[in-house]
Amino acid sequence: MGGAISWIFSRQEKRKGLGMKKGIAVIGVLLVACVTAIAADWAWEFKPINAQMAIYSGGLGDPIAPTPQDAKVSFHVQGKAARDLFDHMGPDAKNECGSDPKVRVRARERLQCIRYSKSDYSCYFGFDLKDGKSIGGSIC
């Protein structure tokens, strides 16, 4: 990239009338074209997932049957969708869910994803069905 920038500016010096602003504009157009080409491979789409859910009342550590006053849902996502979520979450959390060095955990707010092995991923999240607020979906 540095060679291309030098070439653009050396060409500008040889031509009268082309200034620094035009050179920067050319570089900007080239960068936008590169970003657009990379983004062209991505498309907004919903993909199928392997998931289960449980509706309950009380807490995750002591769940009981849902009631009209208290109902929550916990989602458990597995497979490729869980791996995609895990991969996009950033660095592992430290000291989460036990001490097995082979198990990797990534947690952001109330979303938790776990990699048990290179082919076994799970993610958990939940919602309070009375107010719609996000809640945790697992206690490890």
Side-chain angles (χ1 to χ4, degrees):
M1 182 75 174
I5 293 171
S6 298
W7 180 81
I8 289 170
F9 287 121
S10 69
R11 298 281 298 162
Q12 288 177 3
E13 291 171 6
K14 292 179 183 175
R15 293 190 213 169
K16 300 284 183 190
L18 266 184
M20 181 72 101
K21 289 181 183 178
K22 287 185 181 180
I24 291 173
V26 169
I27 292 169
V29 168
L30 290 173
L31 288 174
V32 168
C34 290
V35 169
T36 302
I38 291 168
D41 291 341
W42 178 86
W44 165 266
E45 64 180 319
F46 286 101
K47 298 176 182 175
I49 63 171
N50 178 10
Q52 298 81 39
M53 68 175 212
I55 298 176
Y56 65 99
S57 186
L60 284 169
D62 190 20
I64 57 175
T67 68
Q69 297 79 27
D70 183 27
K72 300 171 181 110
V73 63
S74 175
F75 289 97
H76 176 206
V77 178
Q78 295 174 289
K80 183 171 178 358
R83 181 179 180 162
D84 287 348
L85 289 170
F86 182 90
D87 288 345
H88 285 91
M89 288 178 71
D92 293 357
K94 303 295 182 212
N95 302 321
E96 291 277 336
C97 300
S99 60
D100 185 345
K102 295 178 185 175
V103 174
R104 295 175 54 195
V105 178
R106 294 183 177 175
R108 304 294 178 267
E109 293 292 326
R110 293 168 184 92
L111 171 63
Q112 179 185 65
C113 292
I114 303 170
R115 185 187 110 163
Y116 298 101
S117 70
K118 290 185 179 185
S119 62
D120 186 11
Y121 292 79
S122 289
C123 293
Y124 303 89
F125 56 94
F127 296 95
D128 184 314
L129 296 175
K130 293 302 164 186
D131 61 19
K133 291 183 180 178
S134 176
I135 60 175
S138 170
I139 55 172
C140 288

mmCIF file of all heavy atoms in Angstrom, residues 54-88:
data_model
loop_
_atom_site.group_PDB
_atom_site.id
_atom_site.type_symbol
_atom_site.label_atom_id
_atom_site.label_comp_id
_atom_site.label_asym_id
_atom_site.label_seq_id
_atom_site.Cartn_x
_atom_site.Cartn_y
_atom_site.Cartn_z
ATOM 1 N N ALA A 54 -36.415 -23.276 27.663
ATOM 2 C CA ALA A 54 -37.159 -23.716 28.841
ATOM 3 C C ALA A 54 -37.844 -22.497 29.445
ATOM 4 O O ALA A 54 -37.197 -21.459 29.659
ATOM 5 C CB ALA A 54 -36.223 -24.355 29.855
ATOM 6 N N ILE A 55 -39.145 -22.616 29.690
ATOM 7 C CA ILE A 55 -39.896 -21.551 30.361
ATOM 8 C C ILE A 55 -40.045 -21.969 31.821
ATOM 9 O O ILE A 55 -40.415 -23.106 32.112
ATOM 10 C CB ILE A 55 -41.257 -21.327 29.683
ATOM 11 C CG1 ILE A 55 -41.033 -20.869 28.230
ATOM 12 C CG2 ILE A 55 -42.074 -20.288 30.451
ATOM 13 C CD1 ILE A 55 -42.304 -20.702 27.422
ATOM 14 N N TYR A 56 -39.761 -21.040 32.720
ATOM 15 C CA TYR A 56 -39.736 -21.362 34.147
ATOM 16 C C TYR A 56 -40.081 -20.127 34.969
ATOM 17 O O TYR A 56 -40.244 -19.023 34.438
ATOM 18 C CB TYR A 56 -38.347 -21.891 34.539
ATOM 19 C CG TYR A 56 -37.262 -20.852 34.391
ATOM 20 C CD1 TYR A 56 -36.813 -20.141 35.500
ATOM 21 C CD2 TYR A 56 -36.702 -20.558 33.154
ATOM 22 C CE1 TYR A 56 -35.833 -19.179 35.372
ATOM 23 C CE2 TYR A 56 -35.723 -19.602 33.008
ATOM 24 C CZ TYR A 56 -35.289 -18.901 34.121
ATOM 25 O OH TYR A 56 -34.332 -17.934 33.993
ATOM 26 N N SER A 57 -40.130 -20.314 36.253
ATOM 27 C CA SER A 57 -40.319 -19.236 37.210
ATOM 28 C C SER A 57 -39.244 -19.414 38.278
ATOM 29 O O SER A 57 -38.550 -20.434 38.302
ATOM 30 C CB SER A 57 -41.720 -19.337 37.819
ATOM 31 O OG SER A 57 -41.981 -18.231 38.643
ATOM 32 N N GLY A 58 -39.102 -18.447 39.134
ATOM 33 C CA GLY A 58 -38.067 -18.543 40.154
ATOM 34 C C GLY A 58 -36.720 -18.171 39.559
ATOM 35 O O GLY A 58 -36.632 -17.341 38.663
ATOM 36 N N GLY A 59 -35.673 -18.819 40.045
ATOM 37 C CA GLY A 59 -34.327 -18.531 39.564
ATOM 38 C C GLY A 59 -33.735 -19.710 38.820
ATOM 39 O O GLY A 59 -34.233 -20.835 38.919
ATOM 40 N N LEU A 60 -32.657 -19.465 38.104
ATOM 41 C CA LEU A 60 -32.007 -20.545 37.351
ATOM 42 C C LEU A 60 -31.490 -21.645 38.269
ATOM 43 O O LEU A 60 -31.491 -22.814 37.910
ATOM 44 C CB LEU A 60 -30.857 -19.990 36.513
ATOM 45 C CG LEU A 60 -31.254 -19.250 35.250
ATOM 46 C CD1 LEU A 60 -30.056 -18.517 34.658
ATOM 47 C CD2 LEU A 60 -31.844 -20.216 34.230
ATOM 48 N N GLY A 61 -31.057 -21.276 39.449
ATOM 49 C CA GLY A 61 -30.544 -22.260 40.391
ATOM 50 C C GLY A 61 -31.632 -23.034 41.117
ATOM 51 O O GLY A 61 -31.373 -24.084 41.680
ATOM 52 N N ASP A 62 -32.856 -22.512 41.083
ATOM 53 C CA ASP A 62 -33.977 -23.150 41.772
ATOM 54 C C ASP A 62 -35.259 -22.899 40.967
ATOM 55 O O ASP A 62 -36.179 -22.233 41.445
ATOM 56 C CB ASP A 62 -34.099 -22.575 43.187
ATOM 57 C CG ASP A 62 -35.079 -23.345 44.042
ATOM 58 O OD1 ASP A 62 -35.375 -24.514 43.708
ATOM 59 O OD2 ASP A 62 -35.556 -22.776 45.041
ATOM 60 N N PRO A 63 -35.326 -23.438 39.737
ATOM 61 C CA PRO A 63 -36.485 -23.145 38.881
ATOM 62 C C PRO A 63 -37.737 -23.886 39.345
ATOM 63 O O PRO A 63 -37.656 -24.981 39.900
ATOM 64 C CB PRO A 63 -36.046 -23.641 37.507
ATOM 65 C CG PRO A 63 -35.043 -24.707 37.792
ATOM 66 C CD PRO A 63 -34.351 -24.295 39.062
ATOM 67 N N ILE A 64 -38.880 -23.241 39.132
ATOM 68 C CA ILE A 64 -40.172 -23.854 39.417
ATOM 69 C C ILE A 64 -41.083 -23.607 38.221
ATOM 70 O O ILE A 64 -40.710 -22.897 37.280
ATOM 71 C CB ILE A 64 -40.796 -23.300 40.721
ATOM 72 C CG1 ILE A 64 -40.953 -21.776 40.641
ATOM 73 C CG2 ILE A 64 -39.954 -23.678 41.926
ATOM 74 C CD1 ILE A 64 -41.671 -21.165 41.835
ATOM 75 N N ALA A 65 -42.272 -24.171 38.259
ATOM 76 C CA ALA A 65 -43.214 -23.994 37.151
ATOM 77 C C ALA A 65 -43.555 -22.510 36.983
ATOM 78 O O ALA A 65 -43.680 -21.783 37.966
ATOM 79 C CB ALA A 65 -44.486 -24.790 37.416
ATOM 80 N N PRO A 66 -43.687 -22.054 35.727
ATOM 81 C CA PRO A 66 -44.022 -20.644 35.506
ATOM 82 C C PRO A 66 -45.396 -20.308 36.079
ATOM 83 O O PRO A 66 -46.280 -21.164 36.138
ATOM 84 C CB PRO A 66 -44.014 -20.504 33.984
ATOM 85 C CG PRO A 66 -44.090 -21.874 33.444
ATOM 86 C CD PRO A 66 -43.574 -22.810 34.488
ATOM 87 N N THR A 67 -45.541 -19.060 36.503
ATOM 88 C CA THR A 67 -46.804 -18.581 37.059
ATOM 89 C C THR A 67 -47.268 -17.370 36.253
ATOM 90 O O THR A 67 -46.474 -16.792 35.501
ATOM 91 C CB THR A 67 -46.630 -18.171 38.534
ATOM 92 O OG1 THR A 67 -45.799 -16.995 38.585
ATOM 93 C CG2 THR A 67 -46.010 -19.279 39.364
ATOM 94 N N PRO A 68 -48.504 -16.974 36.404
ATOM 95 C CA PRO A 68 -48.967 -15.763 35.702
ATOM 96 C C PRO A 68 -48.180 -14.508 36.111
ATOM 97 O O PRO A 68 -48.061 -13.575 35.343
ATOM 98 C CB PRO A 68 -50.432 -15.637 36.112
ATOM 99 C CG PRO A 68 -50.846 -17.025 36.479
ATOM 100 C CD PRO A 68 -49.613 -17.665 37.076
ATOM 101 N N GLN A 69 -47.619 -14.509 37.313
ATOM 102 C CA GLN A 69 -46.864 -13.346 37.776
ATOM 103 C C GLN A 69 -45.374 -13.422 37.462
ATOM 104 O O GLN A 69 -44.683 -12.403 37.502
ATOM 105 C CB GLN A 69 -47.012 -13.193 39.306
ATOM 106 C CG GLN A 69 -48.405 -12.939 39.790
ATOM 107 C CD GLN A 69 -49.262 -14.202 39.838
ATOM 108 O OE1 GLN A 69 -48.758 -15.304 39.988
ATOM 109 N NE2 GLN A 69 -50.568 -14.028 39.679
ATOM 110 N N ASP A 70 -44.867 -14.616 37.159
ATOM 111 C CA ASP A 70 -43.425 -14.778 36.974
ATOM 112 C C ASP A 70 -43.157 -15.846 35.916
ATOM 113 O O ASP A 70 -43.384 -17.036 36.162
ATOM 114 C CB ASP A 70 -42.767 -15.182 38.304
ATOM 115 C CG ASP A 70 -41.245 -15.307 38.199
ATOM 116 O OD1 ASP A 70 -40.642 -14.634 37.337
ATOM 117 O OD2 ASP A 70 -40.676 -16.083 38.992
ATOM 118 N N ALA A 71 -42.692 -15.417 34.772
ATOM 119 C CA ALA A 71 -42.331 -16.362 33.711
ATOM 120 C C ALA A 71 -41.075 -15.856 33.017
ATOM 121 O O ALA A 71 -40.973 -14.682 32.658
ATOM 122 C CB ALA A 71 -43.472 -16.512 32.712
ATOM 123 N N LYS A 72 -40.131 -16.756 32.859
ATOM 124 C CA LYS A 72 -38.859 -16.434 32.216
ATOM 125 C C LYS A 72 -38.569 -17.516 31.187
ATOM 126 O O LYS A 72 -39.125 -18.607 31.243
ATOM 127 C CB LYS A 72 -37.744 -16.383 33.259
ATOM 128 C CG LYS A 72 -37.985 -15.352 34.335
ATOM 129 C CD LYS A 72 -36.966 -15.501 35.462
ATOM 130 C CE LYS A 72 -37.232 -14.497 36.540
ATOM 131 N NZ LYS A 72 -37.731 -15.084 37.768
ATOM 132 N N VAL A 73 -37.676 -17.205 30.248
ATOM 133 C CA VAL A 73 -37.266 -18.197 29.264
ATOM 134 C C VAL A 73 -35.744 -18.223 29.204
ATOM 135 O O VAL A 73 -35.086 -17.179 29.252
ATOM 136 C CB VAL A 73 -37.883 -17.928 27.862
ATOM 137 C CG1 VAL A 73 -37.410 -16.590 27.296
ATOM 138 C CG2 VAL A 73 -37.570 -19.061 26.892
ATOM 139 N N SER A 74 -35.206 -19.413 29.120
ATOM 140 C CA SER A 74 -33.771 -19.618 28.933
ATOM 141 C C SER A 74 -33.584 -20.309 27.593
ATOM 142 O O SER A 74 -34.262 -21.293 27.299
ATOM 143 C CB SER A 74 -33.207 -20.491 30.059
ATOM 144 O OG SER A 74 -31.845 -20.786 29.806
ATOM 145 N N PHE A 75 -32.680 -19.770 26.776
ATOM 146 C CA PHE A 75 -32.366 -20.371 25.479
ATOM 147 C C PHE A 75 -30.994 -21.015 25.536
ATOM 148 O O PHE A 75 -30.059 -20.462 26.127
ATOM 149 C CB PHE A 75 -32.370 -19.311 24.370
ATOM 150 C CG PHE A 75 -33.733 -18.802 24.029
ATOM 151 C CD1 PHE A 75 -34.205 -17.625 24.586
ATOM 152 C CD2 PHE A 75 -34.545 -19.497 23.141
ATOM 153 C CE1 PHE A 75 -35.467 -17.147 24.268
ATOM 154 C CE2 PHE A 75 -35.806 -19.030 22.823
ATOM 155 C CZ PHE A 75 -36.273 -17.851 23.390
ATOM 156 N N HIS A 76 -30.875 -22.171 24.904
ATOM 157 C CA HIS A 76 -29.613 -22.899 24.778
ATOM 158 C C HIS A 76 -29.381 -23.139 23.293
ATOM 159 O O HIS A 76 -30.135 -23.872 22.657
ATOM 160 C CB HIS A 76 -29.693 -24.228 25.541
ATOM 161 C CG HIS A 76 -28.486 -25.087 25.387
ATOM 162 N ND1 HIS A 76 -28.546 -26.448 25.510
ATOM 163 C CD2 HIS A 76 -27.191 -24.797 25.120
ATOM 164 C CE1 HIS A 76 -27.338 -26.959 25.326
ATOM 165 N NE2 HIS A 76 -26.510 -25.973 25.090
ATOM 166 N N VAL A 77 -28.368 -22.484 22.744
ATOM 167 C CA VAL A 77 -28.034 -22.594 21.321
ATOM 168 C C VAL A 77 -26.793 -23.466 21.196
ATOM 169 O O VAL A 77 -25.833 -23.301 21.945
ATOM 170 C CB VAL A 77 -27.775 -21.195 20.704
ATOM 171 C CG1 VAL A 77 -27.374 -21.305 19.244
ATOM 172 C CG2 VAL A 77 -28.993 -20.311 20.868
ATOM 173 N N GLN A 78 -26.814 -24.390 20.221
ATOM 174 C CA GLN A 78 -25.673 -25.284 20.004
ATOM 175 C C GLN A 78 -25.268 -25.268 18.534
ATOM 176 O O GLN A 78 -25.941 -24.685 17.692
ATOM 177 C CB GLN A 78 -26.049 -26.716 20.403
ATOM 178 C CG GLN A 78 -26.335 -26.878 21.879
ATOM 179 C CD GLN A 78 -26.837 -28.276 22.182
ATOM 180 O OE1 GLN A 78 -27.950 -28.628 21.834
ATOM 181 N NE2 GLN A 78 -25.997 -29.059 22.836
ATOM 182 N N GLY A 79 -24.186 -25.964 18.235
ATOM 183 C CA GLY A 79 -23.766 -26.151 16.852
ATOM 184 C C GLY A 79 -23.098 -24.931 16.236
ATOM 185 O O GLY A 79 -22.461 -24.133 16.917
ATOM 186 N N LYS A 80 -23.263 -24.795 14.909
ATOM 187 C CA LYS A 80 -22.592 -23.733 14.157
ATOM 188 C C LYS A 80 -22.978 -22.347 14.651
ATOM 189 O O LYS A 80 -22.128 -21.460 14.746
ATOM 190 C CB LYS A 80 -22.884 -23.861 12.664
ATOM 191 C CG LYS A 80 -22.150 -22.808 11.836
ATOM 192 C CD LYS A 80 -22.237 -23.044 10.377
ATOM 193 C CE LYS A 80 -21.560 -22.011 9.517
ATOM 194 N NZ LYS A 80 -20.924 -20.883 10.089
ATOM 195 N N ALA A 81 -24.238 -22.136 14.983
ATOM 196 C CA ALA A 81 -24.664 -20.823 15.483
ATOM 197 C C ALA A 81 -23.925 -20.475 16.773
ATOM 198 O O ALA A 81 -23.471 -19.339 16.957
ATOM 199 C CB ALA A 81 -26.173 -20.796 15.705
ATOM 200 N N ALA A 82 -23.785 -21.424 17.678
ATOM 201 C CA ALA A 82 -23.062 -21.186 18.926
ATOM 202 C C ALA A 82 -21.592 -20.896 18.644
ATOM 203 O O ALA A 82 -20.992 -20.011 19.266
ATOM 204 C CB ALA A 82 -23.209 -22.377 19.867
ATOM 205 N N ARG A 83 -21.007 -21.626 17.696
ATOM 206 C CA ARG A 83 -19.606 -21.366 17.343
ATOM 207 C C ARG A 83 -19.449 -19.970 16.754
ATOM 208 O O ARG A 83 -18.507 -19.245 17.081
ATOM 209 C CB ARG A 83 -19.097 -22.415 16.367
ATOM 210 C CG ARG A 83 -17.644 -22.180 16.021
ATOM 211 C CD ARG A 83 -17.084 -23.196 15.074
ATOM 212 N NE ARG A 83 -15.692 -22.858 14.831
ATOM 213 C CZ ARG A 83 -14.816 -23.684 14.333
ATOM 214 N NH1 ARG A 83 -15.161 -24.909 14.021
ATOM 215 N NH2 ARG A 83 -13.575 -23.299 14.148
ATOM 216 N N ASP A 84 -20.371 -19.566 15.872
ATOM 217 C CA ASP A 84 -20.307 -18.225 15.285
ATOM 218 C C ASP A 84 -20.401 -17.152 16.368
ATOM 219 O O ASP A 84 -19.652 -16.172 16.343
ATOM 220 C CB ASP A 84 -21.417 -18.027 14.258
ATOM 221 C CG ASP A 84 -21.180 -18.798 12.966
ATOM 222 O OD1 ASP A 84 -20.057 -19.308 12.757
ATOM 223 O OD2 ASP A 84 -22.131 -18.906 12.166
ATOM 224 N N LEU A 85 -21.320 -17.321 17.305
ATOM 225 C CA LEU A 85 -21.437 -16.355 18.402
ATOM 226 C C LEU A 85 -20.146 -16.316 19.219
ATOM 227 O O LEU A 85 -19.609 -15.244 19.505
ATOM 228 C CB LEU A 85 -22.615 -16.718 19.309
ATOM 229 C CG LEU A 85 -24.007 -16.493 18.732
ATOM 230 C CD1 LEU A 85 -25.064 -17.133 19.634
ATOM 231 C CD2 LEU A 85 -24.292 -15.017 18.560
ATOM 232 N N PHE A 86 -19.642 -17.488 19.584
ATOM 233 C CA PHE A 86 -18.408 -17.584 20.365
ATOM 234 C C PHE A 86 -17.265 -16.871 19.650
ATOM 235 O O PHE A 86 -16.543 -16.061 20.241
ATOM 236 C CB PHE A 86 -18.062 -19.058 20.598
ATOM 237 C CG PHE A 86 -16.828 -19.279 21.439
ATOM 238 C CD1 PHE A 86 -16.934 -19.391 22.822
ATOM 239 C CD2 PHE A 86 -15.576 -19.404 20.859
ATOM 240 C CE1 PHE A 86 -15.805 -19.605 23.606
ATOM 241 C CE2 PHE A 86 -14.445 -19.619 21.635
ATOM 242 C CZ PHE A 86 -14.558 -19.716 23.010
ATOM 243 N N ASP A 87 -17.114 -17.139 18.356
ATOM 244 C CA ASP A 87 -16.014 -16.561 17.580
ATOM 245 C C ASP A 87 -16.091 -15.036 17.482
ATOM 246 O O ASP A 87 -15.061 -14.373 17.355
ATOM 247 C CB ASP A 87 -15.974 -17.159 16.177
ATOM 248 C CG ASP A 87 -15.487 -18.603 16.168
ATOM 249 O OD1 ASP A 87 -14.914 -19.058 17.184
ATOM 250 O OD2 ASP A 87 -15.689 -19.285 15.141
ATOM 251 N N HIS A 88 -17.293 -14.479 17.525
ATOM 252 C CA HIS A 88 -17.448 -13.033 17.386
ATOM 253 C C HIS A 88 -17.457 -12.279 18.710
ATOM 254 O O HIS A 88 -17.538 -11.053 18.726
ATOM 255 C CB HIS A 88 -18.732 -12.717 16.602
ATOM 256 C CG HIS A 88 -18.589 -12.981 15.150
ATOM 257 N ND1 HIS A 88 -18.914 -14.197 14.588
ATOM 258 C CD2 HIS A 88 -18.145 -12.207 14.142
ATOM 259 C CE1 HIS A 88 -18.668 -14.145 13.289
ATOM 260 N NE2 HIS A 88 -18.202 -12.952 12.994
#
